[in-house]
Each structure stands twice: as structure tokens, then as C-alpha cells.
């Protein structure tokens, strides 16, 4: 059995700086981006939990989720052109809402730390991304790419879809 591929976000960090991590200025706009991603994943249900006391927002869907290659090739590839690779409809026939492959960056407008848990079939992938570590990489204080930290624990109540 070969070793799993490393989780690496592929984008020129200079381009990320020009795009700007702060794509949106308010929480509803960010949530709408994540809900649009759930729509594109053929989710029938999206649950948003806002915990003001702990300054935490959790968005969970029951879509088809992503396997490790999907995380690397689609989620961690900023600017992934879904229509060019997958087509003009989702597996269930929906017209996808995502266009530019950058909406996932919107989460950094409202959070310093973003955790992603996603399951496709029996394959589970979990990782966390830190806005400040990404900013240091952009400023040239670290490597030319950003590798999110893998999360080894898994929430027992997530059996399908994606949780951010």
C-alpha cells in the first residue's frame, strides 16, 4: 500500500496575496459561499451552528464529501475550475453555483483557524488551516506553499458530507 498523498494547497502565495484572504466583509456572505459549496456537493441538508460564547461557527452538510485526492485537487487548489473538469451539472443534475474556485477562502474573513472534516464513501480526511500561518507564507517568512495540519481525530457524529 502506498503512502497517502501529502495535503498541500497549490497556489502561488503571491497570487493569494493579490486575491486577498479577506474576500468578504460579513458573516452572511461567507455562509452563503459555504452553502453554495454544499449545493454543488448535492447536499440535501446544511446545518449552521453559531456559538457566540465560544466564537465558533460550524457548517455541516450531507453532500457527497471529498476523498483525499478531491481535497488536494479541488479544495486545496485555489481557482479549481469545476466546470472544466467535472462538467456543467452535479451528479444529481443540479447546476453548480461555484464559479471561480475561491469561495473557500472566504472562511478566513471570519476565522483565523478553519477545520475541515470530509468523508466520501469510507475515506475520511480532516485538516486545519491557520490564516496567520498562511499570511507568514505570503510574506515570504516560510515556504512557497502552505501545508495544512492534518487532524487525526474524527467527530463520531459525522458519517457523510463535510463539516467546516
Amino acid at each position: 500500500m502506498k503512502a497517502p498523498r501529502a495535503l498541500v494547497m497549490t497556489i502561488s502565495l503571491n497570487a493569494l496575496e493579490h486575491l486577498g484572504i479577506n474576500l468578504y466583509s460579513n458573516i452572511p456572505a461567507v455562509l452563503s459561499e459555504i452553502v453554495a459549496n454544499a449545493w454543488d456537493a448535492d447536499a440535501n441538508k446544511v446545518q449552521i451552528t453559531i456559538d457566540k460564547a465560544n466564537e465558533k461557527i460550524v457548517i455541516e452538510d450531507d453532500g457527497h464529501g471529498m476523498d483525499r485526492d478531491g481535497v488536494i485537487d479541488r479544495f486545496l487548489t485555489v481557482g479549481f475550475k469545476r466546470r472544466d473538469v467535472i462538467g456543467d451539472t452535479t451528479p444529481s443534475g443540479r447546476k453548480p453555483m461555484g464559479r471561480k474556485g475561491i469561495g473557500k477562502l472566504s472562511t478566513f474573513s471570519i476565522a483565523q483557524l478553519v477545520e475541515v472534516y470530509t468523508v466520501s464513501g469510507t475515506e475520511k480526511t480532516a485538516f486545519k488551516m491557520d490564516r496567520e500561518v498562511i499570511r507568514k507564507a505570503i510574506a515570504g517568512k516560510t515556504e512557497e506553499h502552505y501545508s495544512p495540519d492534518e487532524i487525526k481525530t474524527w467527530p463520531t457524529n459525522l458519517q457523510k458530507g463535510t463539516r467546516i
Side-chain angles (χ1 to χ4, degrees):
M1 176 181 247
K2 68 179 186 176
R5 289 174 63 193
L7 295 176
V8 176
M9 180 181 278
T10 55
I11 181 174
S12 162
L13 292 178
N14 188 41
L16 185 57
E17 181 178 23
H18 292 295
L19 282 173
I21 289 177
N22 293 318
L23 294 173
Y24 299 91
S25 60
N26 62 63
I27 292 172
V30 172
L31 295 179
S32 71
E33 284 291 336
I34 305 306
V35 171
N37 287 349
W39 170 267
D40 292 353
D42 284 329
N44 292 309
K45 179 182 174 186
V46 178
Q47 180 174 326
I48 300 171
T49 305
I50 300 175
D51 180 350
K52 286 185 179 184
N54 293 305
E55 297 183 328
K56 184 176 182 178
I57 298 174
V58 177
I59 307 111
E60 184 173 326
D61 70 58
D62 66 351
H64 53 69
M66 296 172 280
D67 61 15
R68 188 176 185 87
D69 286 338
V71 167
I72 295 165
D73 297 336
R74 298 178 187 151
F75 191 89
L76 293 177
T77 301
V78 177
F80 171 72
K81 294 183 178 181
R82 183 195 187 289
R83 286 178 179 81
D84 292 350
V85 177
I86 300 172
D88 291 331
T89 59
T90 68
S92 71
R94 294 179 180 174
K95 287 201 158 279
M97 296 176 76
R99 290 187 176 89
K100 298 178 181 81
I102 60 174
K104 62 198 136 231
L105 297 176
S106 69
T107 58
F108 293 115
S109 299
I110 62 171
Q112 177 179 327
L113 187 66
V114 177
E115 294 180 353
V116 178
Y117 301 85
T118 187
V119 59
S120 178
T122 60
E123 191 171 340
K124 298 174 180 177
T125 306
F127 57 97
K128 61 184 173 181
M129 301 179 293
D130 187 315
R131 178 182 63 207
E132 296 311 311
V133 175
I134 294 171
R135 282 197 168 134
K136 286 179 184 174
I138 290 170
K141 297 176 183 172
T142 62
E143 303 173 29
E144 280 295 311
H145 65 274
Y146 172 71
S147 297
D149 294 325
E150 294 200 49
I151 299 172
K152 300 299 182 192
T153 58
W154 190 262
T156 57
N157 59 352
L158 181 62
Q159 303 299 319
K160 180 181 181 189
T162 301
R163 177 184 295 169
I164 298 175

